[in-house]
């Protein structure tokens, strides 16, 4: 048994543990929303409430995490089977006593589920060349910093995005461009102008994350005027944007507005 083989198993074990912890966090949030909707179902009819949209986002995250967990588990089983003596795997199956029919069904289902996980990763890889919202600050930072960046590459193995901040800055090299390697949780795709049917609608009073006009930075804002048409801009009030004692209302294109991440710090 070689050191690289063991290292691969340990790495996948760590990834499996991380995925399960993320699943637990997502399930906690789902249960909170379930309790809220059970105790006060009328809340969804209130202007500005986004409970149902948040629930949809959480269920989507749970589905992707579950599919990724299954993919890693399958990889681990393959790694372990490859390292075990030739007779050991058969002995393990006989001890389990699993009916042949049930085994065949599981063997048929596994490739289907793995394909679903691969499709999820493929959709992320297809973001190459597109602009997305990205949290570039560390998790232990005092506040979150979100910028518009360009996706250079998505690594399906490490689940990391390589992105480029194209905004000119004060770097010593004068280019002002900076690259980041970010996890999936730090990336939010912008709504597609070419697919209006999939564009989320944020009603009045909803807290969102939006690109501040004439910048590439995103900040927390509140929707003060909803849209009549899918292509209309949002009218927003950005937090801490006071001018002469009042909060200016700013127009932001719908494709530069995304849901406010859970736990956002400003």
């Amino acid at each position: 048994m070689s050191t690289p083989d063991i290292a691969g198993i340990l790495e996948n074990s760590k990834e499996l543990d991380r995925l399960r912890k993320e699943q637990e966090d997502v399930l906690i949030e789902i249960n909170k929303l379930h309790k809220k909707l059970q105790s006060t179902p009328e809340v969804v009819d209130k202007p500005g409430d986004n409970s149902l949209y948040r629930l949809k986002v959480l269920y989507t995250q749970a589905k992707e995490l579950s599919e990724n967990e299954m993919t890693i588990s399958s990889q681990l089983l393959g790694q372990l089977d490859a390292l075990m003596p030739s007779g050991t795997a058969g002995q393990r199956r006989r001890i389990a006593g699993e009916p042949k029919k049930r085994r065949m069904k599981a063997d048929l289902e596994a490739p289907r589920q793995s394909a679903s996980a691969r499709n999820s990763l493929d959709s992320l890889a297809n973001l190459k060349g597109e602009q997305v919202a990205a949290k570039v600050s560390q998790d232990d930072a005092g506040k979150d910093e979100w910028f518009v960046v360009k996706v250079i590459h998505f690594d399906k193995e490490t689940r990391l995005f390589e992105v480029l901040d194209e905004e000119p800055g004060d770097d010593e090299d004068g280019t002002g461009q900076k690259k980041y390697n970010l996890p999936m949780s730090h990336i939010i795709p912008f709504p597609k102008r070419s697919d209006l049917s999939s564009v989320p609608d944020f009603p009045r009073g909803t807290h969102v994350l939006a690109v501040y006009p004439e910048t590439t930075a995103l900040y927390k804002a509140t929707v003060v005027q909803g849209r009549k048409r899918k292509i209309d801009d949002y009218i927003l009030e950005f937090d801490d944007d006071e001018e002469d004692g009042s909060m200016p209302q700013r127009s932001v294109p719908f494709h530069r507005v995304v849901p406010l991440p859970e736990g956002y710090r400003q």
Side-chain angles (χ1 to χ4, degrees):
M1 187 178 296
S2 64
T3 300
D5 293 333
I6 294 297
I9 291 174
L10 293 177
E11 188 64 30
N12 275 336
S13 297
K14 290 180 181 178
E15 176 65 10
L16 195 61
D17 186 54
R18 183 190 68 79
L19 288 170
R20 286 174 176 169
K21 287 179 179 177
E22 284 194 28
Q23 283 179 308
E24 290 175 1
D25 292 339
V26 171
L27 287 175
I28 288 173
E29 294 302 317
I30 288 176
N31 287 333
K32 287 181 181 178
L33 273 177
H34 282 173
K35 290 179 180 178
K36 175 183 176 182
L37 295 175
Q38 287 172 355
S39 59
T40 55
E42 68 278 3
V43 72
V44 298
D45 296 323
K46 294 182 179 179
D49 182 80
N50 64 343
S51 299
L52 295 180
Y53 180 78
R54 286 174 55 202
L55 195 60
K56 179 181 177 181
V57 170
L58 288 169
Y59 270 117
T60 301
Q61 291 177 345
K63 177 176 177 291
E64 292 177 353
L65 288 170
S66 178
E67 291 171 345
N68 291 338
E69 180 189 358
M70 193 212 60
T71 300
I72 297 298
S73 296
S74 298
Q75 291 177 4
L76 273 169
L77 287 173
Q79 290 171 318
L80 290 169
D81 280 342
L83 294 176
M84 295 173 68
S86 58
T88 309
Q91 182 181 16
R92 174 174 57 83
R93 286 195 290 270
R94 286 196 298 272
I95 292 174
E98 185 179 25
K100 182 178 180 181
K101 183 177 180 181
R102 185 175 175 184
R103 281 206 309 273
M104 291 175 62
K105 181 181 178 182
D107 291 341
L108 289 172
E109 288 179 347
R112 254 200 324 264
Q113 293 168 331
S114 297
S116 177
R118 286 195 298 271
N119 289 339
S120 176
L121 294 176
D122 287 342
S123 66
L124 295 176
N126 289 336
L127 290 173
K128 181 179 179 180
E130 295 189 16
Q131 289 186 330
V132 297
K135 186 176 79 167
V136 300
S137 55
Q138 298 295 323
D139 288 333
D140 57 357
K143 64 177 182 178
D144 294 341
E145 291 185 332
W146 288 80
F147 296 138
V148 177
V149 300
K150 181 180 179 180
V151 176
I152 299 174
H153 177 67
F154 173 69
D155 192 314
K156 297 180 182 179
E157 296 298 325
T158 63
R159 273 49 166 196
L160 289 177
F161 280 92
E162 182 183 0
V163 300
L164 176 67
D165 181 3
E166 301 175 286
E167 175 71 7
D170 299 325
D171 297 27
E172 293 180 0
D173 60 8
T175 65
Q177 298 186 341
K178 186 174 182 179
K179 290 183 179 180
Y180 297 92
N181 288 310
L182 303 173
M184 294 162 49
S185 59
H186 285 212
I187 300 293
I188 303 178
F190 285 117
K192 292 183 179 295
R193 284 176 283 185
S194 59
D195 185 13
L196 296 178
S197 62
S198 64
V199 175
D201 186 56
F202 302 110
R204 181 179 179 182
T206 304
H207 296 308
V208 296
L209 194 66
V211 178
Y212 193 85
E214 299 183 8
T215 75
T216 57
L218 292 94
Y219 300 98
K220 180 181 177 183
T222 303
V223 178
V224 295
Q225 182 178 314
R227 301 174 303 154
K228 294 181 179 179
R229 300 176 301 167
K230 284 280 189 180
I231 60 173
D232 289 344
D233 292 350
Y234 280 103
I235 304 300
L236 308 176
E237 286 184 356
F238 285 88
D239 286 17
D240 303 322
D241 190 31
E242 187 174 336
E243 287 185 358
D244 300 325
S246 63
M247 296 289 286
Q249 296 183 354
R250 304 190 185 276
S251 177
V252 179
F254 73 89
H255 56 88
R256 282 295 185 257
V257 181
V258 297
L260 184 70
E262 288 290 329
Y264 175 81
R265 299 165 300 176
Q266 63 181 15

